[in-house]
Amino acid sequence: LIDIRFPPGDITLTPSPGGYTDTQSVGFGNIGVGNSVYYTLDGSDPVTSMWRILYTGEPFDIATTTTVKVFQVDRLGLMSDVVTAKYIIAPAPPDPVVTPVAGTYGAAQTVTIEKYTFDGEVHYTLDESDPRSSDATEYTGPFEVTSSATLKTAQLDPNTGIWSGVV
């Protein structure tokens, strides 16, 4: 008789790690029945840290930028891999500024979009779709609009992954 045991699967986090503009209530998933889940909020290793926290099943709030590390251990002592997740809590970047302003014009217009930082990304669409979508065009410099269009634009802070509002 061969006894084969497998370690528990990796913990999942909800919501997904990333950039947010407000406090996030974080919970863990993919927890095996009877397993214990340990985590840290300071980026230390939850396997060895004396400051690790036993997860009770209740979500917890993250109000500032935090690195969560989490794993689970089953009743036999087999452990999952440690999952690392970073939550960035920061303000949204300012909305991009478009020139000329929206209106009706009798001739083609050259459009410029100002971004708030050197490394920020501005994306736009001319068909009323969401400029935060993967189909949007990244702004690289002034462009000409020669026919009727609805310009929508938004700015991404690449350091936080947070979008501005859609203008």
Side-chain angles (χ1 to χ4, degrees):
L1 180 67
I2 298 176
D3 186 15
I4 300 175
R5 299 181 180 151
F6 295 97
D10 292 347
I11 294 292
T12 57
L13 291 94
T14 304
S16 298
Y20 297 93
T21 58
D22 55 4
T23 298
Q24 295 298 300
S25 182
V26 176
F28 300 133
N30 194 35
I31 301 171
V33 175
N35 290 358
S36 297
V37 175
Y38 296 95
Y39 66 100
T40 60
L41 300 174
D42 62 1
S44 63
D45 185 344
V47 175
T48 59
S49 175
M50 63 187 295
W51 304 112
R52 72 184 185 182
I53 303 162
L54 175 63
Y55 184 59
T56 63
E58 293 297 318
F60 54 93
D61 287 345
I62 293 180
T64 61
T65 297
T66 302
T67 298
V68 178
K69 290 192 175 185
V70 60
F71 79 102
Q72 66 179 314
V73 60
D74 67 16
R75 288 177 264 187
L76 299 173
L78 296 172
M79 296 184 297
S80 69
D81 290 335
V82 173
V83 174
T84 300
K86 186 168 187 176
Y87 290 87
I88 299 170
I89 310 297
D95 295 342
V97 176
V98 177
T99 306
V101 298
T104 303
Y105 297 92
Q109 295 294 301
T110 299
V111 175
T112 59
I113 305 172
E114 293 180 41
K115 56 185 177 177
Y116 84 106
T117 65
F118 179 74
D119 61 347
E121 296 177 17
V122 173
H123 295 231
Y124 70 93
T125 62
L126 296 171
D127 62 0
E128 299 188 42
S129 62
D130 191 330
R132 299 167 296 187
S133 75
S134 60
D135 295 334
T137 302
E138 184 174 355
Y139 178 75
T140 57
F143 60 93
E144 193 168 274
V145 176
T146 59
S147 62
S148 181
T150 299
L151 171 67
K152 288 192 174 184
T153 183
Q155 185 160 221
L156 174 65
D157 181 334
N159 299 310
T160 64
I162 298 174
W163 286 94
S164 72
V166 174
V167 179

